[in-house]
Amino acid sequence: MASDTAISLKIERKPKLSEIVVAAIRKQLQAGEIQPGQKLPTEGQLTETFGVSRTVIREALAKLAADGLVEPRQGAGVFVTEHMSTMFGALAADMGSKDSIALNVLEVRLAIEIESAGLAAIRRNAAQEAAIQEAFFEFERLLLNSEPTGPADLAFHRAIASATNNPFYVEMLDVLGRRAIPCDVTSPWSTELAQSDTYQRGLQGEHLVILNAITSGDAESAREAMRAHLSASQQRYRERLQARQIFYADSVKAAATE
């Protein structure tokens, strides 16, 4: 007999092309590669650089202008605003807040996922092991194609939780939802302006150690690999939070002297 229960489908939204362009330009501005008062490349040059249409570039520039980071000048082009440091100080404060949330989330995940990795190594069945491997290789595929890896990252950890055969481990991760992966650029809780392939490759190396321990049935090694993975993430976010707090403080001082 067919069930009348509705099936809830979760659809992960891919970032728009204009959002990718915005993130890339923001990253260059924040890194100081483009200075206040400097003129941006022309629409045609940006179109060629990013391999997108002029419509996408115009949409990205409009977003940057709405955020007060650039200003179009009639007949002259688009220029970086002179007071950009103040704006990036506010951005650093916002990203710092997200870093703080990420640290809280990781603290909870440490309490849950170390043991879930150990139990998965002991209790997993063939289908569950295959699901963990599938999520791992999907992460690899996305990384190679320079696509957002966040959804596959979450799927990897969720598959491990499912392999404990204790539904409460899965339930706890589901409560955290997309907050569980702070570096997911498709998430509203993302701590990133743009995905770093180098950073993601490091995460994938840590995932591989966890995967190998689980597939070999070594519970203690699986626990240690998960502990190392999440602890390393904690340290990365502590360092980033400190750097952003310093940047924000310096920006406030700079604004006060203008």
Side-chain angles (χ1 to χ4, degrees):
M1 181 177 177
S3 171
D4 293 331
T5 303
I7 299 174
S8 177
L9 298 177
K10 294 182 179 180
I11 301 175
E12 298 291 346
R13 184 184 72 85
K14 290 186 177 181
K16 295 170 61 177
L17 290 175
S18 61
E19 291 172 348
I20 295 173
V21 174
V22 167
I25 294 176
R26 276 179 178 270
K27 188 175 181 181
Q28 286 185 282
L29 291 171
Q30 191 171 20
E33 295 172 13
I34 306 175
Q35 294 294 317
Q38 187 174 345
K39 181 180 176 181
L40 291 184
T42 65
E43 281 187 8
Q45 290 170 327
L46 290 171
T47 297
E48 185 175 345
T49 297
F50 289 101
V52 296
S53 68
R54 284 181 179 265
T55 300
V56 170
I57 294 300
R58 287 168 186 162
E59 186 177 342
L61 292 176
K63 171 61 177 170
L64 290 167
D67 290 343
L69 297 177
V70 302
E71 56 180 1
R73 298 177 188 173
Q74 186 66 36
V78 178
F79 293 78
V80 178
T81 55
E82 295 289 350
H83 301 288
M84 187 184 64
S85 62
T86 306
M87 295 166 188
F88 268 122
L91 177 61
D94 177 61
M95 300 305 283
S97 175
K98 290 179 178 179
D99 283 333
S100 294
I101 293 172
L103 283 167
N104 288 336
V105 169
L106 285 165
E107 187 172 82
V108 173
R109 288 181 62 193
L110 274 162
I112 299 168
E113 293 196 66
I114 291 172
E115 187 58 22
S116 75
L119 292 176
I122 299 169
R123 297 177 179 175
R124 81 217 181 279
N125 59 37
Q128 290 166 338
E129 184 175 316
I132 298 170
Q133 293 175 341
E134 181 180 352
F136 176 86
F137 287 116
E138 175 62 6
F139 186 111
E140 187 72 16
R141 184 189 70 79
L142 293 170
L143 187 56
L144 289 173
N145 291 334
S146 297
E147 297 179 48
T149 58
D153 195 338
L154 180 57
F156 177 76
H157 287 275
R158 196 178 185 281
I160 291 172
S162 181
T164 66
N165 291 300
N166 180 336
F168 291 107
Y169 280 103
V170 178
E171 186 174 320
M172 289 300 292
L173 272 186
D174 285 347
V175 168
L176 293 175
R178 295 174 70 191
R179 288 173 295 182
I181 311 297
C183 60
D184 178 7
V185 293
T186 68
S187 166
W189 293 280
S190 179
T191 59
E192 310 302 310
L193 294 174
Q195 178 168 287
S196 164
D197 286 349
T198 301
Y199 183 85
Q200 295 296 317
R201 178 57 61 192
L203 293 182
Q204 183 71 328
E206 293 167 8
H207 288 164
L208 179 60
V209 178
I210 297 168
L211 174 63
N212 287 339
I214 291 174
T215 56
S216 65
D218 188 338
E220 195 50 46
S221 291
R223 291 188 183 97
E224 185 52 41
M226 184 65 78
R227 180 184 291 107
H229 172 51
L230 297 178
S231 295
S233 292
Q234 271 190 322
Q235 183 59 32
R236 286 188 285 262
Y237 283 108
R238 286 193 189 101
E239 292 171 355
R240 289 153 64 103
L241 177 59
Q242 183 178 22
R244 280 170 173 159
Q245 287 173 335
I246 293 171
F247 184 89
Y248 177 59
D250 288 345
S251 296
V252 171
K253 289 179 183 177
T257 58
E258 289 178 352

